[in-house]
Amino acid sequence: MSHFSGVLQLTDLDDFITPSQECIKPVKVDKKPTNKKGTAKIQIEADGSYIEENELGEKKQLEKASITLADCLACSGCITSAESILIEAQSNVQLHKMFKEKSESSTPETRPFIVFSLAIQPIISLSVEYKISPNTLVKKLTTYLKGLGADMVLDMKIAEDISIIEQQNEFLTRLRERKEGGKHPGPVLTSACPGWVCYAEKTHGNWILPFISKVKSPQQIMGSLVKSFLPVSKNIDPSRVYHVTVMPCFDKKLEASREDFFSEEANIRDVDCVVTSLEIQDLLTESEVDILTLDETELDSLVGSAPLIETNSGSGSGGYSDHVFRKAAQEIHNQSVHNIQYTTLKNQDFKEVILTNPSDGKVLLKFAIANGFRNIQNLVQKMKRKRCDYDFVEIMACPSGCINGGAQIRPKGEYSSKELITYLEESYTSIKTGSTEQNKTGLPEHNSQANQLIKEWFGGNLDKRNHFLYTDYHEVEKMTNALAIKW
């Protein structure tokens, strides 16, 4: 059974490789005929090996074709055929290898510098599982990870804030362009969910890609920070940095493996390994560690003092819709919005909020949150029929969003799935936002650490800012029948 989100497991899209299917890749054959008319043929044995036979009947076993993740992403067939590669390259096994490599290294100049970045959703999932507060959990987890060999453990909140700030800037630019042109261009769609992005690229292609925000997800912004900003501030070689993120879903492994987030010139990937809430739990179980007995260690920080665990107001996926809505209402329509009240439509995972003109009731802004494939599909169909009047839509592949990611720890009898989601959401919203001196308003754009980091990182270099904070998406042409293709 695949661990990827349901959006990536749709059998009618050939996105899920079933036991009756095989992934096919061309085999490179160096033909060396014995004479001018000589030919060679290839046959596949029962065990899957390739045998080359020339006209004289001589046989030679060929090297078996290997399917890399890059091959899978370039193919329009099965996406989950990459899962075995992801499990091997991004897993606890790989973590143990890196920790071992570090412990056995005798040269400090080349020793791996291991950095963990923690998303808020796994922190909450683990805190609920172990029945301790998120702040206590993260301090004990920091102790555990540093005991294994981690050099730094970071909170991903600063990358989440930068992502939201850039989403605000991008949306305001598009909104102003629309006002000048007079036509509604369709909604801006968030890009933080790799399951949704991959589905859009492979299923709808070029027509939908211009609607998707080009701002990188918090994971990938954190990757850029750790691989470009951190080495400069720590005066270490970027090639030494090994970056691990702890995320709420397996789709994030897919995102980290995109070629867009790999520098061929430097031979560096923004995120080297993605582990999930479930895999962290497995690590603790395998180590026979009782997390409740561990000491508490403060998180590290890229700039300023060590942060407290905070969340952004709004959805458990980061609050993109809420914060972009507030910013646009203030900047474009001069309305301060404090309490945002969404209206639930056909189901709990599709809701909208509208800003109206107080004088005449005219709709000024219309935002939505769409979680789960059913709602994504309905939204896309509305867009195709040009009947979608939303200005901005926060989209996540998982029902209830990232707080209910596919790799969050599941109930074992104490709660039903629905009750656990409710409890996770309550835990998310109960974490006090803006509790530090740097950010008493709780608004990402007022986070002085994020703004300080942006200033130090980019200065006034817009090209550098665009390079590290924005990305592109690519249509993947659909193969109608991969098994019938002749190479």
Side-chain angles (χ1 to χ4, degrees):
M1 180 178 176
S2 172
H3 290 302
F4 287 109
S5 65
V7 170
L8 297 181
Q9 298 176 27
L10 304 174
T11 53
D12 59 333
L13 297 175
D14 291 331
D15 266 20
F16 182 55
I17 186 165
T18 64
S20 62
Q21 296 173 309
E22 289 186 19
C23 192
I24 292 183
K25 178 185 176 182
V27 182
K28 183 179 179 181
V29 180
D30 295 322
K31 296 182 181 179
K32 297 178 181 179
T34 54
N35 54 53
K36 290 183 179 179
K37 293 184 179 180
T39 59
K41 64 180 181 180
I42 299 173
Q43 61 189 44
I44 303 176
E45 300 297 294
D47 63 357
S49 61
Y50 299 94
I51 302 296
E52 179 187 53
E53 180 179 353
N54 63 23
E55 64 172 5
L56 300 177
E58 297 170 337
K59 296 184 178 182
K60 181 180 72 172
Q61 185 167 335
L62 300 174
E63 182 180 350
K64 204 165 185 179
S66 62
I67 306 296
T68 68
L69 185 59
D71 295 319
C72 292
L73 294 179
C75 170
S76 64
C78 55
I79 187 63
T80 50
S81 61
E83 185 169 9
S84 61
I85 299 164
L86 287 168
I87 290 172
E88 180 180 343
Q90 300 188 34
S91 66
N92 292 344
V93 173
Q94 185 64 22
L95 283 185
H96 286 305
K97 286 182 181 178
M98 291 307 301
F99 288 135
K100 183 179 180 182
E101 181 181 332
K102 179 182 177 180
S103 66
E104 294 177 350
S105 174
S106 59
T107 311
E109 293 77 16
T110 60
R111 186 178 299 148
F113 189 87
I114 302 174
V115 180
F116 277 78
S117 296
L118 312 179
I120 185 63
Q121 293 85 3
I123 291 171
I124 292 173
S125 181
L126 289 162
S127 72
V128 170
E129 174 69 13
Y130 294 111
K131 296 180 174 58
I132 54 179
S133 72
N135 268 298
T136 300
L137 180 282
V138 80
K139 290 175 183 178
K140 289 180 177 293
L141 184 59
T142 299
T143 299
Y144 173 69
L145 295 175
K146 288 195 171 184
L148 291 177
D151 293 279
M152 294 183 73
V153 181
L154 303 168
D155 172 28
M156 209 177 288
K157 174 68 161 57
I158 197 164
E160 188 174 274
D161 282 354
I162 292 173
S163 180
I164 291 174
I165 290 168
E166 294 305 315
Q167 291 253 312
Q168 291 172 335
N169 294 336
E170 180 189 51
F171 178 73
L172 290 175
T173 298
R174 293 197 191 189
L175 197 62
R176 290 183 176 112
E177 289 173 353
R178 186 186 84 187
K179 291 186 75 174
E180 292 173 3
K183 292 183 179 179
H184 194 297
V188 175
L189 310 172
T190 58
S191 55
C193 174
W196 142 247
V197 169
C198 189
Y199 164 74
E201 288 180 319
K202 294 167 73 70
T203 310
H204 299 289
N206 276 341
W207 81 265
I208 201 169
L209 299 186
F211 297 101
I212 302 177
S213 168
K214 291 192 174 185
V215 178
K216 286 183 180 180
S217 72
Q219 172 176 270
Q220 297 311 132
I221 289 178
M222 197 70 192
S224 295
L225 278 167
V226 169
K227 290 299 181 78
S228 65
F229 180 82
L230 179 65
V232 173
S233 65
K234 293 288 184 182
N235 193 28
I236 59 177
D237 190 327
S239 64
R240 286 181 54 202
V241 179
Y242 186 80
H243 185 205
V244 185
T245 61
V246 180
M247 303 302 294
C249 75
F250 289 92
D251 290 4
K252 284 293 181 180
K253 296 175 186 280
L254 186 70
E255 178 181 75
S257 302
R258 288 175 69 99
E259 291 305 306
D260 304 83
F261 305 131
F262 173 74
S263 170
E264 291 187 4
E265 182 180 353
N267 194 31
I268 289 175
R269 189 169 292 283
D270 292 343
V271 178
D272 298 291
C273 183
V274 179
V275 292
T276 64
S277 313
L278 288 170
E279 288 167 309
I280 290 294
Q281 185 186 37
D282 288 343
L283 266 179
L284 291 164
T285 301
E286 292 165 6
S287 304
E288 297 183 346
V289 170
D290 181 359
I291 195 170
L292 300 179
T293 65
L294 295 177
D295 294 332
E296 297 180 18
T297 304
E298 296 291 339
L299 283 168
D300 297 293
S301 178
L302 290 170
V303 292
S305 58
L308 294 174
I309 294 300
E310 295 180 338
T311 62
N312 281 319
S313 59
S315 70
S317 303
Y320 286 92
S321 178
D322 286 53
H323 290 288
V324 176
F325 187 85
R326 284 194 181 96
K327 186 72 171 179
Q330 183 65 58
E331 293 289 326
I332 303 297
H333 302 292
N334 198 30
Q335 291 193 40
S336 296
V337 179
H338 301 291
N339 297 317
I340 296 180
Q341 297 294 329
Y342 286 88
T343 300
T344 301
L345 301 180
K346 292 184 178 180
N347 55 74
Q348 290 294 323
D349 275 323
F350 196 98
K351 49 191 177 182
E352 66 179 30
V353 60
I354 297 173
L355 181 74
T356 59
N357 190 323
S359 60
D360 59 12
K362 180 181 177 182
V363 174
L364 301 177
L365 291 174
K366 191 174 183 181
F367 279 39
I369 296 176
N371 294 326
F373 178 66
R374 174 178 55 173
N375 292 320
I376 291 174
Q377 193 175 43
N378 288 337
L379 176 72
V380 170
Q381 292 305 316
K382 280 187 177 181
M383 291 176 65
K384 279 187 173 181
R385 296 194 297 268
K386 301 188 184 301
R387 294 176 56 189
C388 181
D389 59 352
Y390 291 115
D391 299 299
F392 184 95
V393 184
E394 178 185 308
I395 297 182
M396 301 294 160
C398 295
S400 300
C402 296
I403 201 71
N404 184 42
Q408 296 282 71
I409 300 171
R410 298 305 172 195
K412 300 179 178 65
E414 186 175 353
Y415 307 103
S416 67
S417 294
K418 189 175 181 179
E419 288 171 338
L420 180 60
I421 292 171
T422 300
Y423 195 64
L424 291 170
E425 289 174 340
E426 289 174 351
S427 179
Y428 180 91
T429 56
S430 68
I431 297 175
K432 189 175 181 181
T433 60
S435 57
T436 64
E437 286 296 323
Q438 291 87 357
N439 184 21
K440 283 197 171 183
T441 65
L443 299 176
E445 62 269 28
H446 291 179
N447 184 333
S448 61
Q449 287 193 359
N451 286 307
Q452 178 188 344
L453 193 149
I454 289 172
K455 185 177 180 180
E456 291 182 17
W457 193 8
F458 307 123
N461 191 328
L462 185 59
D463 289 339
K464 186 177 179 181
R465 184 166 178 158
N466 288 338
H467 172 73
F468 284 112
L469 301 184
Y470 290 78
T471 188
D472 289 303
Y473 310 102
H474 322 282
E475 178 182 24
V476 180
E477 292 185 8
K478 180 83 175 158
M479 282 193 240
T480 54
N481 187 352
L483 299 181
I485 291 177
K486 295 180 180 179
W487 302 102

